[in-house]
Amino acid sequence: MTATPKPMGPIPPGFGTIDGQLAIGGVRATDCVVQAGGAPLFVYDAGLIAARIAALRAAMPAGIALHYAVKANPFAPLLAFMAGTVDGFDIASGGELALLAAQGVAGARIGFAGPGKRDADLAAAIAAGVTLHIESAGEAARVLSAGARVGIAPRVAIRVNPDFELAGAGMRMGGGARAFGVDADQVPALAQTLVAGGADWQGFHVYAGSQSLDANAIVAAQAATLDLVAQAADAAGVAVPMVNLGGGFGVPYYHGQRALDVATVGRGLAQALDRRAAVLRDTRFVLELGRWLVAEAGVYLAPVIDRKHSRGETFLVVDGGLHHQLAASGNFGSVIRRNYPCAIATRFDAPADDVAHVVGCLCTPLDRLGDALALPHADCGDLVALFCAGAYGASASPAAFLGHGPAKELLVGTG
Amino acid sequence: MTATPKPMGPIPPGFGTIDGQLAIGGVRATDCVVQAGGAPLFVYDAGLIAARIAALRAAMPAGIALHYAVKANPFAPLLAFMAGTVDGFDIASGGELALLAAQGVAGARIGFAGPGKRDADLAAAIAAGVTLHIESAGEAARVLSAGARVGIAPRVAIRVNPDFELAGAGMRMGGGARAFGVDADQVPALAQTLVAGGADWQGFHVYAGSQSLDANAIVAAQAATLDLVAQAADAAGVAVPMVNLGGGFGVPYYHGQRALDVATVGRGLAQALDRRAAVLRDTRFVLELGRWLVAEAGVYLAPVIDRKHSRGETFLVVDGGLHHQLAASGNFGSVIRRNYPCAIATRFDAPADDVAHVVGCLCTPLDRLGDALALPHADCGDLVALFCAGAYGASASPAAFLGHGPAKELLVGTG
């Protein structure tokens, strides 16, 4: 009677079952709701994040510094946890700098990239000793001016707009005319300008793309990055204390996608580093990861408010929706909407004997979190779990839309 | 050298030029920024909204009640202005009910639709005398229970999932299996259940789609709505004190789109009402409009922070972006992104002698507000104006994304 089920992405590993319920960091879903004081709710498992970081460090060459990209998830307890775990942070705004300052993170551990940095944010970052990743000639001039006003030599790197891009990336950020970074051919002269202007020169930042599941493509982009920055440094006649290699490590959201093979990335990076140019011999290399570190450690829990039937199809209407987890809905109308992994948290070990659409409580047909999912029979009061919700969820969704209010957030697994 | 310009949508009528600047409600753009205490900023012109409402009332048959859909723009001063101008309001959440209560709007003027209404929101709405638009059999049962707990007969209408849809709508909300409303064949029995359960029966609500620019399609949907609710009322043997006809009136955002012909809609609705069934003779008809009332009265103003060049193309980087005006960016990656109308507010009467991309300050290539626009030459400190920003802008965008903070909002033209 109901529609044929459509596939969903793979449920990430690392979750358990207690008393038939989904357990996150050893805490039953309903207990997460109690701890957080209600639902809808994002739960993040610090233990899964720690395990992921450990696995990454084991796979990567020794000495690679790991930075966390705050934009992926700026939840304060998560930042506090990260501060004791990663080597540094990358930020995209003065607001993110304030979030890190509240956790006592020193500016020397922070890089700041992004087009359109405000003068006030530049001044605050310079005063804190943050490394500014320069995105244009105009910004370089404003940074030198701000440094003069603050009375501190600004720590600077140049973000390079590479002439290659990360193949197979979900989002390409290099190649062609871009708002991001300085075209490679303009980099040497700008580096000299910054050094001559008295800046505290740090090196380069190259970000070629995001959300790639292709290890060989990432290896190729990293190798190309090493060549690019070595050529730029030689052309400019500058040393290279630091290179931020970007990230671009993806996670599987959809049916048929497979986890990135980080061992292959690590081997490829080691080989590329072995071959690196002399000018990079003493360089500190940074990997900047956001999504890969936290996405799969997060679960969005939304209570079922209504179970309804329309023309032979079943709808689970949840208290939750695209105002909290926009990406899972298909971003306000992607042409091809695909299902994120989903489960009934309160019936996690029950057989999938039902087919239902999971829809949010917003008055728009775009508020669909799951389309024709094979799930256990669920009813009012059950909790729907939407996985891969740890990155670009709560902070990347229109929380004020339709006035339902923001989701709660909870970090578990720190003990 | 720069790319060929791409077309943009039409700048809505009603804006002026003072000292070469865009004027909104008679206030120069830079003065709007001063009044609001900064930018980026949404400015809404109450005078344009009032004129639009007057034109609509003149075009529609006498006696049609006009409701404002709060979800389109819940800015408090705008709601206060609307409270003295429209006949009622439609809300989609308990949060929106609280916003109206803060403006002193009586519950009797409010309708509440939306799947997934929480029990607490149902109780608050019943206590306030709000008309609940019932979306399912399960919700009907919960409404009757909540009414019994509160000790007040709940005012109810049934939202019908029609078996037709609004042709040419940007977003279809009727036809097929839907999360919205009750399938037409289930409506008579549910109406009887509600009446027998002691509810204060109000009638029906039919919403067939959104953002249509086709007057004849709207007329056809309204005529079909009258037939549908008359049949349902006859089958149920109930009176019809009220019918909410929905809205669906669109505005032109893109090149080649033309304003909806509301005169044609009004004539068509008058003809349909003349022919209406006897059971609807004394019915109060409601038009529920959000976007059409406010979208074109709003302008988003964002200061240029950087003017940069990459591979022969020019980028104006603004303090602002998709975190404030997501729809204009293409909603995180629409396959076909088209340009909203845009101008340089501080050079509003200058010739378009430049071609530039307008991009936001977020670290994502999706943060593009204008692609290859023909604009006057602009530089740091100029203000970019993005039009059609009065609906589904500030409240429908991920304001927390990347930590730049929300936009300011200002209502002008009330004097």
Side-chain angles (χ1 to χ4, degrees):
Chain A
M1 180 161 186
T2 309
T4 309
K6 293 180 182 170
M8 64 173 79
I11 293 178
F15 297 101
T17 309
I18 299 177
D19 300 338
Q21 283 196 34
L22 170 68
I24 306 163
V27 184
R28 293 186 309 178
T30 52
D31 290 338
C32 289
V33 174
V34 171
Q35 282 188 30
L41 166 66
F42 286 89
V43 186
Y44 314 116
D45 182 351
L48 287 180
I49 296 169
R52 205 151 169 103
I53 291 172
L56 184 80
R57 290 198 191 275
M60 292 297 135
I64 298 285
L66 176 61
H67 278 205
Y68 174 59
V70 173
K71 60 163 110 41
N73 188 329
F75 183 50
L78 190 145
L79 294 181
F81 172 76
M82 285 294 194
T85 311
V86 298
D87 303 304
F89 291 86
D90 285 291
I91 60 172
S93 69
E96 291 185 351
L97 177 59
L99 292 176
L100 289 179
Q103 301 301 332
V105 175
R109 295 176 67 194
I110 303 173
F112 184 0
K117 302 183 191 81
R118 298 184 192 93
D119 283 346
D121 295 337
L122 290 176
I126 291 167
V130 168
T131 299
L132 293 160
H133 297 193
I134 305 291
E135 305 265 357
S136 75
E139 185 173 271
R142 285 186 293 116
V143 165
L144 292 175
S145 297
R149 282 198 306 277
V150 176
I152 297 175
R155 295 167 67 113
V156 299
I158 292 178
R159 181 169 177 179
V160 185
N161 176 21
D163 42 14
F164 56 86
E165 58 190 2
L166 177 51
M171 194 183 294
R172 292 168 182 184
M173 300 179 78
R178 297 284 164 177
F180 306 102
V182 178
D183 289 353
D185 59 356
Q186 300 172 23
V187 168
L190 189 62
Q192 291 169 340
T193 299
L194 285 163
V195 171
D200 180 359
W201 172 252
Q202 297 294 312
F204 300 102
H205 173 200
V206 182
Y207 207 107
S210 292
Q211 176 53 20
S212 174
L213 295 169
D214 181 342
N216 292 315
I218 291 174
V219 167
Q222 290 174 339
T225 294
L226 295 183
D227 291 343
L228 175 63
V229 298
Q231 288 163 18
D234 284 336
V238 295
V240 189
M242 183 277 300
V243 170
N244 181 324
L245 296 164
F249 291 25
V251 301
Y253 287 103
Y254 305 121
H255 176 70
Q257 291 185 328
R258 294 175 62 183
L260 175 68
D261 177 1
V262 291
T264 294
V265 176
R267 280 192 301 271
L269 180 55
Q271 290 171 7
L273 288 175
D274 286 346
R275 290 192 306 261
R276 72 186 184 273
V279 70
L280 302 178
R281 195 51 54 192
D282 298 320
T283 300
R284 178 170 177 270
F285 292 95
V286 175
L287 269 181
E288 173 185 348
L289 296 179
R291 186 194 309 270
W292 192 87
L293 295 180
V294 295
E296 295 189 301
V299 182
Y300 177 59
L301 297 174
V304 177
I305 289 190
D306 199 5
R307 177 186 173 88
K308 66 177 284 189
H309 304 281
S310 172
R311 304 203 167 98
E313 299 183 23
T314 300
F315 293 80
L316 299 174
V317 183
V318 300
D319 180 2
L322 69 77
H323 51 310
H324 299 153
Q325 183 55 350
L326 180 63
S329 77
N331 286 329
F332 278 124
S334 296
V335 170
I336 302 172
R337 192 205 160 279
R338 292 180 290 178
N339 288 322
Y340 271 38
C342 183
I344 305 301
T346 38
R347 302 170 192 262
F348 196 51
D349 60 357
D353 54 4
D354 196 12
V355 177
H357 308 299
V358 176
V359 299
C361 58
L362 300 194
C363 246
T364 163
L366 302 177
D367 193 13
R368 183 165 292 212
L369 300 176
D371 192 49
L373 302 179
L375 293 171
H377 185 284
D379 219 323
C380 296
D382 275 312
L383 286 171
V384 167
L386 207 59
F387 295 90
C388 299
Y392 302 109
S395 68
S397 301
F401 194 38
L402 268 62
H404 290 277
K408 295 184 186 298
E409 296 181 88
L410 178 69
L411 185 72
V412 298
T414 52
Chain B
M1 182 161 183
T2 308
T4 309
K6 294 180 181 169
M8 64 172 80
I11 293 178
F15 297 101
T17 308
I18 299 178
D19 300 338
Q21 282 195 35
L22 170 68
I24 308 163
V27 184
R28 293 186 307 177
T30 52
D31 290 338
C32 290
V33 174
V34 171
Q35 282 188 30
L41 165 68
F42 286 89
V43 186
Y44 315 115
D45 181 351
L48 286 180
I49 296 170
R52 204 149 171 107
I53 291 172
L56 183 79
R57 290 198 191 274
M60 292 297 135
I64 298 284
L66 176 61
H67 278 205
Y68 175 59
V70 173
K71 61 163 109 42
N73 188 331
F75 182 50
L78 189 146
L79 294 181
F81 172 77
M82 286 293 195
T85 312
V86 298
D87 304 304
F89 292 86
D90 285 291
I91 59 172
S93 69
E96 291 185 350
L97 177 58
L99 292 177
L100 289 179
Q103 302 300 333
V105 175
R109 295 176 68 194
I110 303 172
F112 183 0
K117 303 182 191 81
R118 298 184 191 92
D119 283 348
D121 294 337
L122 290 176
I126 292 167
V130 168
T131 299
L132 293 159
H133 297 194
I134 305 288
E135 305 266 357
S136 76
E139 185 172 272
R142 286 186 292 117
V143 164
L144 292 175
S145 297
R149 283 198 305 278
V150 175
I152 296 175
R155 297 167 66 111
V156 299
I158 292 179
R159 180 170 178 178
V160 186
N161 175 21
D163 42 15
F164 57 86
E165 59 189 1
L166 177 51
M171 195 183 296
R172 293 169 181 182
M173 301 180 77
R178 296 283 165 178
F180 307 101
V182 178
D183 288 354
D185 59 356
Q186 300 173 24
V187 167
L190 190 62
Q192 292 168 340
T193 299
L194 285 163
V195 171
D200 179 358
W201 172 251
Q202 297 295 312
F204 300 101
H205 173 201
V206 182
Y207 208 107
S210 293
Q211 176 53 18
S212 174
L213 295 170
D214 181 342
N216 292 315
I218 292 174
V219 167
Q222 289 173 339
T225 294
L226 294 183
D227 291 343
L228 175 64
V229 298
Q231 289 164 16
D234 284 336
V238 295
V240 189
M242 182 279 300
V243 170
N244 181 324
L245 297 163
F249 292 25
V251 300
Y253 288 103
Y254 305 121
H255 176 70
Q257 292 185 329
R258 293 175 61 181
L260 176 68
D261 176 3
V262 292
T264 295
V265 176
R267 282 192 299 273
L269 180 55
Q271 291 172 5
L273 288 175
D274 287 345
R275 291 193 306 262
R276 71 187 183 273
V279 70
L280 301 179
R281 196 50 55 195
D282 299 320
T283 300
R284 178 170 177 270
F285 293 95
V286 175
L287 270 181
E288 173 186 349
L289 297 179
R291 185 193 311 268
W292 191 87
L293 296 180
V294 296
E296 295 188 301
V299 181
Y300 177 59
L301 296 174
V304 177
I305 288 190
D306 198 7
R307 176 185 174 89
K308 65 178 284 187
H309 304 281
S310 172
R311 303 203 167 99
E313 299 183 23
T314 300
F315 293 79
L316 298 174
V317 183
V318 299
D319 181 3
L322 69 78
H323 52 309
H324 298 154
Q325 183 56 347
L326 181 63
S329 77
N331 286 327
F332 278 124
S334 296
V335 170
I336 303 174
R337 193 206 159 278
R338 291 179 291 178
N339 288 322
Y340 273 38
C342 184
I344 305 301
T346 36
R347 302 169 192 262
F348 196 51
D349 60 356
D353 54 4
D354 195 13
V355 177
H357 309 299
V358 176
V359 299
C361 58
L362 301 194
C363 247
T364 161
L366 302 177
D367 193 14
R368 183 166 293 211
L369 300 176
D371 193 48
L373 301 179
L375 292 172
H377 185 285
D379 219 323
C380 297
D382 275 312
L383 286 170
V384 167
L386 207 59
F387 295 90
C388 299
Y392 303 110
S395 70
S397 301
F401 195 37
L402 267 62
H404 289 278
K408 296 184 185 298
E409 295 180 88
L410 178 71
L411 185 72
V412 297
T414 53

